[in-house]
Amino acid sequence: FTGSAFGSAAIWQYESLKSRVQTYFEEARADWLDKIRPQKRGDFRKQVNSWWNNLTEGQRTVTGIIAANVFVFCLWRLPGMRRVMFTYFTSDPSSRALCSPMLLSTFSHFSLFHMAANMYVLWSFSSSIVSLLGCEQFIAVYLSAGVISTFVSYVAKMATGKFEPSLGA
């Protein structure tokens, strides 16, 4: 999984750079259109765009991860989703589903305080780590760390004989 994550991140990084270069040249040719193009309306949209554009690349990257964590947290609150959540969003070496929970449990939190603390810490160092690695490599590190830590959890559970489901990375 880790090799695939970093390989995909390298391809994504290359394609992203290629796209940015193409966009730069297209924008240079289309600057004259901005003068005749009508301006978009909507104060709320402008505020959201202003907020988004003021974020660092790291904060924009982590915003997606936080949104995924909040979405999964909300799914835990739906009684009809409990069975699916226990099957795919908790890691348990005695479960029928072994591989997908290794990744999906990374986004799973049952306690609001636990999730809020984790997301605050992730937000706080996101700018520096993404500027160092790039957003693509950061996502590969994040996902790989989740899968590897779940694997270590599986090994520890097998060694101790305690087959209890757990959440998170």
Side-chain angles (χ1 to χ4, degrees):
F1 177 83
T2 300
S4 296
F6 280 100
S8 298
I11 293 168
W12 180 19
Q13 204 166 20
Y14 167 77
E15 291 297 329
S16 211
L17 180 61
K18 187 171 111 178
S19 175
R20 277 188 250 153
V21 169
Q22 288 173 343
T23 302
Y24 173 77
F25 286 116
E26 288 170 6
E27 285 177 356
R29 284 183 278 159
D31 274 343
W32 65 274
L33 280 176
D34 287 341
K35 295 174 184 163
I36 60 173
R37 189 179 301 156
Q39 295 296 318
K40 296 178 182 176
R41 295 185 181 162
D43 288 335
F44 179 72
R45 182 178 174 171
K46 287 179 184 176
Q47 289 174 345
V48 170
N49 281 338
S50 175
W51 171 77
W52 183 257
N53 291 331
N54 287 330
L55 294 177
T56 65
E57 183 182 17
Q59 290 170 332
R60 281 188 235 136
T61 302
V62 171
T63 299
I65 294 171
I66 291 172
N69 279 276
V70 169
F71 179 72
V72 171
F73 179 78
C74 290
L75 288 177
W76 274 106
R77 302 298 172 264
L78 301 174
M81 291 297 295
R82 287 284 170 103
R83 187 174 183 184
V84 171
M85 298 306 289
F86 273 110
T87 303
Y88 295 104
F89 287 85
T90 61
S91 59
D92 184 0
S94 63
S95 175
R96 290 181 302 141
L98 284 177
C99 294
S100 55
M102 290 178 79
L103 176 63
L104 296 176
S105 69
T106 303
F107 299 96
S108 195
H109 299 84
F110 197 73
S111 159
L112 178 62
F113 177 75
H114 179 222
M115 182 187 69
N118 284 356
M119 296 305 104
Y120 173 75
V121 170
L122 188 63
W123 181 270
S124 67
F125 74 83
S126 64
S127 295
S128 58
I129 196 74
V130 170
S131 67
L132 180 68
L133 297 175
C135 73
E136 301 87 359
Q137 298 296 325
F138 170 73
I139 291 173
V141 167
Y142 180 83
L143 296 176
S144 295
V147 170
I148 290 169
S149 65
T150 303
F151 177 74
V152 170
S153 172
Y154 280 176
V155 170
K157 288 176 184 180
M158 296 295 284
T160 62
K162 295 181 181 181
F163 300 106
E164 301 164 348
S166 59
L167 296 169

